[in-house]
Amino acid sequence: MGYLPSSGASCFMISPANIEKSLPVNWLQGAQLGLPKPIGKEYQRKMSDCVDTAILQRHTLDDILDIVCQEVQQISGAEGARIWLLEDDGWLRLLRQRGAVIRDLEGLPLAGSFSALAVQQKKALLTNDPANTPQLIQRYPELTSLLVLPLILDDKVIGLLHALNKPGGFTADDMRILSLVAKQAALAIENERLHEQVKEAAVLEERTHLARELHDSVTQALYSVMLYADATRLALAAGRQTVATENLQELRKMARQAMADMRLLLFQLHP
């Protein structure tokens, strides 16, 4: 059952039955006339709220995508669900899977596949007869039905959502409702990407700050060493042996301190 675990009360149960309870009474009158259920916007709002709550509670991307996979199974009756990220090299990299999936796969080539059609057309596709679907390059006897939904962000396909093996086959309603789930999956992936960019920017800023400190520290240390070296030279020229010895001792002390400071800063710069 689809829900968001939390430290307090659990998130709402997202299912068609629960959504119908929140629909207005006049929906029943429409249903008697054969009108479609107004489930799309209500479901999208609830699913969006659930994903937003997960993001605000700083759940990991895996947690959120696991919620998405649960919803795919709960809503459609699919035996398994997979979420893929589309890489620049044209391969699909597995992000999350749940349920009875077809073999353990870490990646799939996109070119010439059934999934490639969904990417090219930017729309969901289904087949309830995989054995006779030409675009399914790799044949899996255990695959009985497949629904492929592109994850689209800013009109660009960033990944795919696969629903696998629904008893009786997938329908147009499954495609319509799960397209809403795919939208939330795309938003969750994008949010994680932006979060990583913010973290990387913060790390880069800190490293730049430390590098500046290292530069200033080294410059100051070298300048002090030069001053003491010049003072020692002048003291020796004037026959002031004691002063020259003291200057050399200070110079040695400063050099050691400078080395210690540089080691510390270099350690902090290390990723």
Side-chain angles (χ1 to χ4, degrees):
M1 189 70 72
Y3 64 94
L4 174 64
S6 64
S7 55
S10 64
C11 187
F12 57 83
M13 306 297 287
I14 310 177
S15 69
N18 282 350
I19 293 173
E20 287 179 12
K21 292 178 182 178
S22 66
L23 297 175
V25 175
N26 61 7
W27 170 78
L28 295 176
Q29 299 172 353
Q32 293 172 355
L33 298 175
L35 299 178
K37 300 177 185 178
I39 190 175
K41 290 183 179 179
E42 180 67 9
Y43 176 81
Q44 188 173 18
R45 183 185 66 79
K46 286 181 176 287
M47 186 65 185
S48 178
D49 287 348
C50 195
V51 172
D52 289 345
T53 300
I55 291 172
L56 290 173
Q57 293 179 349
R58 302 303 296 273
H59 285 271
T60 66
L61 179 61
D62 282 346
D63 290 336
I64 298 173
L65 295 185
D66 198 49
I67 294 170
V68 171
C69 288
Q70 288 182 55
E71 290 309 307
V72 169
Q73 292 183 274
Q74 173 64 26
I75 294 167
S76 68
E79 295 179 358
R82 273 183 169 142
I83 298 175
W84 304 89
L85 184 67
L86 180 57
E87 301 282 16
D88 293 336
D89 60 2
W91 275 69
L92 295 172
R93 176 169 61 86
L94 183 65
L95 288 183
R96 199 69 175 168
Q97 64 183 16
R98 192 175 187 274
V101 295
I102 308 302
R103 307 184 186 179
D104 289 328
L105 300 171
E106 294 297 325
L108 281 175
L110 184 65
S113 67
F114 189 65
S115 294
L117 289 178
V119 172
Q120 292 167 3
Q121 299 176 18
K122 296 182 181 179
K123 68 178 184 179
L125 298 175
L126 67 83
T127 175
N128 292 319
D129 187 16
N132 294 309
T133 302
Q135 293 83 5
L136 286 173
I137 303 172
Q138 295 172 304
R139 302 295 178 180
Y140 301 109
E142 59 269 43
L143 181 64
T144 60
S145 56
L146 173 65
L147 174 55
V148 179
L149 303 114
L151 307 182
I152 301 175
L153 197 68
D154 296 331
D155 202 39
K156 179 183 178 182
V157 178
I158 63 171
L160 291 168
L161 171 59
H162 284 182
L164 309 167
N165 292 354
K166 175 183 179 177
F170 292 104
T171 66
D173 282 342
D174 294 325
M175 187 182 295
R176 178 173 61 90
I177 298 300
L178 292 186
S179 291
L180 302 178
V181 181
K183 289 181 181 179
Q184 297 306 316
L187 289 174
I189 293 171
E190 175 65 4
N191 180 78
E192 178 67 13
R193 185 185 68 82
L194 293 175
H195 182 63
E196 287 300 318
Q197 283 186 349
V198 170
K199 289 199 301 184
E200 289 175 3
V203 170
L204 180 60
E205 183 179 356
E206 178 63 18
R207 288 172 63 86
T208 301
H209 175 70
L210 289 173
R212 192 179 300 115
E213 282 191 359
L214 177 59
H215 174 270
D216 294 344
S217 176
V218 170
T219 301
Q220 184 177 357
L222 290 176
Y223 182 71
S224 298
V225 166
M226 287 176 60
L227 288 178
Y228 271 95
D230 286 342
T232 301
R233 178 180 57 81
L234 293 174
L236 289 173
R240 302 171 63 185
Q241 187 70 29
T242 302
V243 174
T245 301
E246 291 175 352
N247 286 342
L248 286 174
Q249 290 175 346
E250 286 297 323
L251 191 152
R252 185 182 183 191
K253 185 188 300 183
M254 291 180 61
R256 284 183 173 179
Q257 184 61 48
M259 288 181 62
D261 291 343
M262 282 189 286
R263 285 196 185 101
L264 177 60
L265 288 171
L266 288 172
F267 176 79
Q268 292 175 328
L269 279 171
H270 195 276

